[in-house]
Amino acid sequence: QVQLVESGGGLVQPGGSLRLSCAASGIIFSINTMGWYRQAPGKQRELVAVLISSGSTNYADSVKGRFAISRDSAKKTVYLQMNSLKPEDTAVYYCYAEMISSGNPNLYPYWGQGTQVTVSS
């Protein structure tokens, strides 16, 4: 069974930092895009950062210069380094990946279960 497992969320003070990790497991043949989305209470899920297999990245304007996405292909893991955190960054952060796996011979979007990030003093 293919799944994405996130870790690294928690409570942090404004101005602090957190690093989220997301590891893909299962029989995976290839991974295209990996990234992070977030959803705050009462709001729609929004893109935070994505990293395409070519190395291209895309960030939400609200996190540019503060967040950095990276990937360890050998470990099938994507990271999100979050610096200078603000209260408005508070949300559930979801890992996302487009993968070809034993369960689907075509690129298919997978989601993690989400990890809570709370920025508060």
Side-chain angles (χ1 to χ4, degrees), residues 41-76:
K43 295 187 177 181
Q44 290 187 333
R45 189 173 298 188
E46 63 175 0
L47 179 146
V48 177
V50 290
L51 194 158
I52 304 173
S53 57
S54 64
S56 299
T57 58
N58 187 26
Y59 292 92
D61 288 342
S62 59
V63 307
K64 283 181 180 177
R66 300 188 298 121
F67 290 12
I69 188 170
S70 61
R71 175 173 167 177
D72 185 330
S73 296
K75 294 182 178 180
K76 299 184 179 66

